[in-house]
Amino acid sequence: MQVVSVTMLFRDKVYKIWWALLALTPLFVNVVEYSMGILPLKDWWYWIVESIVFTTICLVLTRWRSISKRISYFYAIAMLGIVELISLGINHSFSPVSVAAATLGLFVIAMFEEQRFYSEKKNEQKIKLLEKESERDDLTGLLNYRALSQEINRLANNSEIHNIVIGALDIDHFKKINDTYGHFVGNEVLNYFSTVFREQIHSAFPKHGYVYRFGGEEFTIVVSNHSLEEVYQLLQSIEKFFNNKSIVTKEGMKLTISFSCSLTDRLNDELLDTTLKRADKMLYSVKNNGRGWIVTDQHHQRPKKA
């Protein structure tokens, strides 16, 4: 009867009722056996000792941090069998059935629990994989809006983060590329653009810079613990890279692309949507004034083109 409470104590969610059941079960069983004439009343002290000893063993095992709960559980089952065999010896109650229950029976139960553990572990891994896949854009492999929302919440609640820069980007005249060369070429452009940005952002701001795709030719970057000016300087260098190096498609066509961008600092306690709307509004000002340049909260002016 103790197996149920022991099993529940070594799972992820532990309720206090299982501790109470673990402590009271030996007393309850012995009282029942006494009422049936199986045990003499003179052994009442042993009932209490058995309860205290095994509850203490389980308490120590649940707090033993250097080993996993799975290993602790097997130790607990083994100790339960030992305590039960000692109890049988004290009460002179050895029989093939009782000995088999304290050894083989507990072993079988432990094996079933092991199988349950691996099944749950496998399901958890599948769930984590699905969650990870749901946060990635299928075409470019970049993180998507769902991942962006979670990342902003994480950064906002991290006391070590003192600044968050958010940028909104568009590939200039991407619709024209699709209409002129087809969607396959458009996908090549998206992948090339994504790869360059991801490598540059991750290289310049390791563990602090991320690139997200919203859909179509729309992208967002998030950089923490770096100034807006640092991000601006990097984007200028990426802009020069695209200006000086054409994309060569699989069919051998050479395309030169540019992008429009807006950068803004996320204000303290500001909602993500509010920051994104401000960045989006700034981006529209870039698009309406010729594209191919970067605007920031510090109002960087559009560079003069040669």
Side-chain angles (χ1 to χ4, degrees):
M1 291 181 67
Q2 285 175 289
V3 172
V4 175
S5 52
V6 171
T7 300
M8 298 308 297
L9 285 175
F10 289 89
R11 293 192 177 184
D12 293 333
K13 294 182 180 179
V14 179
Y15 299 98
K16 293 181 180 179
I17 188 174
W18 296 116
W19 285 108
L21 290 174
L22 178 65
L24 294 176
T25 296
L27 298 175
F28 173 75
V29 172
N30 287 320
V31 168
V32 171
E33 291 182 345
Y34 164 73
S35 66
M36 296 173 64
I38 300 175
L39 294 178
L41 185 61
K42 64 182 179 66
D43 292 333
W44 64 268
W45 60 271
Y46 177 72
W47 307 345
I48 298 175
V49 171
E50 181 183 357
S51 176
I52 293 174
V53 168
F54 191 64
T55 302
T56 302
I57 290 172
C58 288
L59 184 63
V60 171
L61 288 173
T62 55
R63 298 180 183 277
W64 194 353
R65 302 301 182 190
S66 60
I67 59 175
S68 66
K69 281 188 176 181
R70 183 170 63 92
I71 300 300
S72 297
Y73 172 75
F74 281 104
Y75 284 166
I77 290 294
M79 293 305 299
L80 178 59
I82 292 171
V83 170
E84 183 62 23
L85 290 173
I86 293 173
S87 176
L88 292 173
I90 292 175
N91 295 320
H92 304 289
S93 302
F94 281 118
S95 69
V97 174
S98 61
V99 172
T103 54
L104 182 60
L106 291 178
F107 176 78
V108 171
I109 291 171
M111 290 299 98
F112 273 111
E113 182 64 11
E114 176 76 354
Q115 184 61 41
R116 182 205 63 81
F117 172 81
Y118 275 113
S119 295
E120 288 189 355
K121 197 72 175 177
K122 193 173 182 179
N123 288 336
E124 288 176 5
Q125 291 173 348
K126 287 182 179 179
I127 291 171
K128 287 181 180 179
L129 179 62
L130 289 173
E131 289 178 345
K132 186 175 181 180
E133 289 177 350
S134 69
E135 294 177 354
R136 292 283 176 180
D137 173 60
D138 292 336
L139 177 63
T140 63
L142 294 178
L143 296 165
N144 58 24
Y145 180 82
R146 177 182 177 182
L148 171 61
S149 180
Q150 293 177 352
E151 178 66 11
I152 292 296
N153 290 332
R154 185 186 69 81
L155 293 174
N157 295 320
N158 189 341
S159 59
E160 297 180 359
I161 301 299
H162 54 75
N163 185 54
I164 302 174
V165 177
I166 293 182
L169 300 92
D170 260 13
I171 300 176
D172 293 330
H173 307 294
F174 181 74
K175 185 178 183 303
K176 186 177 180 180
I177 295 174
N178 268 339
D179 292 343
T180 305
Y181 303 103
H183 290 287
F184 288 105
V185 172
N187 288 344
E188 287 187 59
V189 171
L190 286 171
N191 277 315
Y192 178 75
F193 183 85
S194 302
T195 301
V196 171
F197 251 95
R198 179 170 50 214
E199 290 177 352
Q200 293 291 330
I201 293 292
H202 288 186
S203 176
F205 311 114
K207 297 183 179 180
H208 289 283
Y210 298 92
V211 185
Y212 303 82
R213 185 189 178 203
F214 270 25
E217 71 274 23
E218 299 176 3
F219 298 82
T220 297
I221 60 172
V222 176
V223 179
S224 59
N225 284 0
H226 289 273
S227 69
L228 188 145
E229 185 63 32
E230 289 178 277
V231 181
Y232 176 76
Q233 294 296 332
L234 175 65
L235 292 182
Q236 279 193 316
S237 67
I238 297 175
E239 186 180 43
K240 291 178 181 177
F241 173 86
F242 282 125
N243 288 336
N244 297 327
K245 188 171 183 179
S246 300
I247 301 174
V248 180
T249 68
K250 293 178 180 179
E251 296 178 355
M253 292 181 292
K254 290 186 177 181
L255 302 175
T256 301
I257 63 171
S258 63
F259 65 91
S260 302
C261 179
S262 62
L263 292 174
T264 182
D265 284 312
R266 179 180 179 272
L267 304 178
N268 290 334
D269 300 322
E270 185 177 47
L271 294 175
L272 171 62
D273 286 346
T274 304
T275 313
L276 291 176
K277 285 178 181 178
R278 182 169 64 254
D280 197 50
K281 186 177 180 180
M282 293 166 59
L283 182 59
Y284 271 104
S285 71
V286 177
K287 291 180 177 181
N288 293 331
N289 286 277
R291 302 175 185 261
W293 56 292
I294 306 165
V295 65
T296 76
D297 283 337
Q298 278 77 39
H299 304 294
H300 283 97
Q301 298 298 319
R302 178 182 178 186
K304 294 182 180 179
K305 293 185 178 180

